[in-house]
């Protein structure tokens, strides 16, 4: 299987140094674009901040030499014009060293300003943070991971996170993988940035369901050694692309255990890109699955309209509810007399998300390479379109 470039942020543990981290590696000029601004004259603090920027994949601007305040009762520090000249207002993120706080007291108030220092016992640090309008005080080394995350968010242009939907079967053979695949296909065809994640290492593989098991790109075992933050953009580019969506599946080799921390980082990176993330979940909720459930906005539990399936789904639902914030029922197929979809949802104590009729001929089309949901007029596609219209809103809805 071909390997793409690594999508893990180098040094994201924020403990080691990066090549070129030092005062000589900085760019001293007016800030702008997507590059954070550093204001400090403390060489040790500057080295730390440059190292953390490198870990987040950012090349910052560094500014020295703002006017010194003239005593406790003198001028308020740099004037608005002087501060604007260093890119104070245009930089997406401003890191002010504790040594330079007095120099920026006259700066216009803005979001994205952080006061950074290393003195954990300074009682006046909060006062200085209020004076410059800082959102937060970050004390190194304790806040290194937090700071790397904030810088990386700027680099990646983090905005509204993706709507993350999990699909789980209430019983064996419920059709959860089919629904997850169809949801992803319909979202992608509507123009949503879509990532489909196979959360079941013992399943048949979502890439197989999409007819792309030979597609080049990374699979779950490639992330088994991930540590720290995973780059969102690099993750998306590294995954196989099938039917206008990206897919993270398992390979056909020996089973490799991916640590829960790595799974958490990968799912978080997928969400940071925005759009839609669909996860096909196994029925057993272990530590790794719990990491995924904790990041989902909604879980759809697929339940066949049979009494035994409803009984099994009750046990699955109990485990899912321990972590998931919102669980809803999708009834698949016809229910026997006296057991309608609403009754199934009541028995499981969850809202009804809808009913998906069994689609005649779907297994044969999938076997021929057509993914579930590809036919826009089928019952499965209609359900998915209606779901996205409700979930994403009319302005972003999936057309029928």
């Amino acid at each position: 299987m071909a390997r793409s470039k690594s999508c893990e942020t180098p040094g994201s543990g924020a403990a080691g140094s990066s090549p070129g981290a030092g005062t000589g590696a900085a760019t001293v000029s007016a800030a702008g674009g997507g590059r954070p601004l550093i204001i400090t004259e403390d060489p040790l603090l500057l080295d730390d901040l440059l190292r953390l920027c490198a870990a987040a994949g950012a090349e910052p601007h560094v500014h020295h030499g703002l006017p010194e305040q003239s005593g406790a009762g003198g001028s308020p520090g740099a004037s608005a014009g002087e501060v604007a000249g260093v890119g104070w207002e245009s930089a997406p993120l401003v890191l002010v060293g504790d040594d330079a706080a007095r120099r920026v007291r006259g700066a216009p108030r803005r979001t994205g300003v952080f006061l950074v220092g290393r003195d954990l016992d300074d009682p006046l640090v909060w006062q200085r943070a209020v004076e410059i309008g800082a959102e937060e005080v970050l004390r190194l080394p304790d806040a290194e991971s937090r700071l790397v995350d904030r810088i990386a968010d700027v680099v990646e242009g983090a905005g509204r996170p993706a709507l993350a939907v999990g699909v789980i079967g209430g019983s064996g053979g419920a059709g959860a993988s089919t629904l997850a695949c169809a949801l992803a296909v319909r979202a992608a065809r509507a123009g949503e940035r879509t990532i489909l994640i196979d959360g079941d290492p013992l399943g048949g593989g979502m890439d197989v369901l999409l007819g792309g098991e030979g597609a080049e790109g990374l699979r779950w075992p490639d992330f088994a050694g991930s540590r720290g933050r995973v780059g969102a953009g690099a993750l998306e580019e590294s995954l196989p692309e099938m039917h206008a969506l990206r897919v993270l599946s398992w390979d056909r080799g020996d089973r490799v255990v991916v640590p829960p921390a790595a799974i958490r980082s990968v799912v978080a990176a997928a969400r940071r890109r925005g759009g839609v993330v669909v996860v096909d979940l196994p029925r057993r909720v272990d530590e790794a699955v719990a990491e995924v459930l904790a990041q989902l906005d909604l879980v759809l539990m697929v339940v066949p309209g049979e009494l035994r399936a409803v009984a099994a789904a009750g046990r699955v639902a109990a485990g899912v509810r321990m972590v998931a914030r919102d669980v809803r029922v999708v009834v698949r197929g016809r229910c026997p007399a006296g057991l309608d979809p609403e009754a199934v949802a009541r028995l499981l104590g969850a809202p009804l998300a809808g009913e998906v009729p069994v689609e005649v001929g779907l297994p044969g089309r999938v076997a021929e390479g057509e993914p579930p949901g590809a036919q826009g007029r089928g019952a499965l596609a209609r359900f998915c379109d209606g779901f996205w219209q409700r979930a994403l809103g009319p302005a972003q809805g999936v057309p029928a």
Side-chain angles (χ1 to χ4, degrees), residues 2-361:
R3 306 280 179 174
S4 180
K5 64 181 181 181
S6 171
C7 59
E8 185 177 0
T9 301
S12 54
S17 61
S18 300
T23 54
T27 299
V28 183
S29 61
R35 300 169 67 178
L37 171 65
I38 296 174
I39 301 177
T40 183
E41 293 188 14
D42 181 339
L44 296 179
L45 179 60
L46 179 57
D47 279 347
D48 282 339
L49 294 178
L50 290 173
R51 171 174 57 84
L52 298 178
C53 284
E59 183 184 358
H61 290 276
V62 178
H63 191 84
H64 305 280
L66 287 173
E68 180 68 75
Q69 183 184 7
S70 59
S75 76
S79 69
E82 289 165 336
V83 175
V86 306
W88 174 273
E89 296 183 20
S90 60
L93 185 74
V94 180
L95 306 177
V96 180
D98 191 36
D99 64 293
R102 291 185 304 173
R103 301 173 183 269
V104 297
R105 283 171 55 183
R109 294 302 172 104
R110 52 154 292 171
T111 60
V113 176
F114 295 86
L115 183 63
V116 187
R118 279 195 251 87
D119 186 353
L120 302 181
D121 300 319
D122 184 356
L124 299 179
V125 64
W126 301 106
Q127 177 182 334
R128 291 194 289 274
V130 171
E131 289 173 348
I132 68 173
E135 288 185 15
E136 196 172 342
V137 175
L138 299 174
R139 300 185 180 187
L140 305 182
D142 292 352
E144 285 192 353
S145 295
R146 164 78 171 157
L147 185 51
V148 168
D149 284 346
R150 293 306 302 261
I151 298 170
D153 284 342
V154 169
V155 174
E156 296 172 358
R160 182 179 179 181
L163 176 63
V165 178
V167 185
I168 191 169
S171 63
S177 296
T178 298
L179 178 58
C181 185
L183 283 168
V185 167
R186 298 308 298 169
R189 293 200 173 188
E192 293 288 338
R193 173 186 279 125
T194 305
I195 296 180
L196 175 61
I197 298 177
D198 187 350
D200 187 359
L202 300 181
M206 297 303 290
D207 53 352
V208 175
L209 198 55
L210 286 161
E213 59 269 29
E216 293 186 355
L218 300 186
R219 265 70 173 181
W220 267 120
D222 297 300
F223 296 93
S226 295
R227 298 291 184 272
R229 183 186 177 101
V230 173
L235 171 68
E236 184 178 26
E237 294 172 4
S238 72
L239 298 179
E241 184 174 4
M242 310 169 195
H243 303 280
L245 58 94
R246 298 284 181 167
V247 182
L248 176 54
S249 189
W250 299 86
D251 62 12
R252 310 280 86 81
D254 294 336
R255 183 182 177 188
V256 175
V257 176
V258 181
I263 290 177
R264 178 177 63 247
S265 296
V266 169
V267 175
R271 292 204 66 196
R272 286 198 302 272
R273 290 296 283 173
V276 166
V277 173
V278 180
V279 185
D280 180 38
L281 296 164
R283 288 187 292 136
R284 179 185 177 187
V285 180
D286 56 16
E287 186 180 357
V289 174
E291 291 286 1
V292 179
L293 287 171
Q295 298 193 57
L296 299 179
D297 298 298
L298 170 67
V299 176
L300 299 177
M301 176 175 292
V302 185
V303 183
E306 305 167 358
L307 287 174
R308 288 188 63 202
V310 174
R315 293 189 289 271
V316 176
V320 173
R321 284 199 191 96
M322 294 178 65
V323 185
R325 67 191 76 171
D326 189 350
V327 181
R328 305 183 193 183
V329 174
V330 175
V331 176
R332 181 172 176 265
R334 291 189 176 185
C335 297
L339 188 66
D340 57 21
E342 288 77 11
V344 171
R346 284 196 302 271
L347 288 171
L348 295 173
L352 179 66
E355 180 181 2
V356 180
V358 175
E359 190 169 318
V360 178

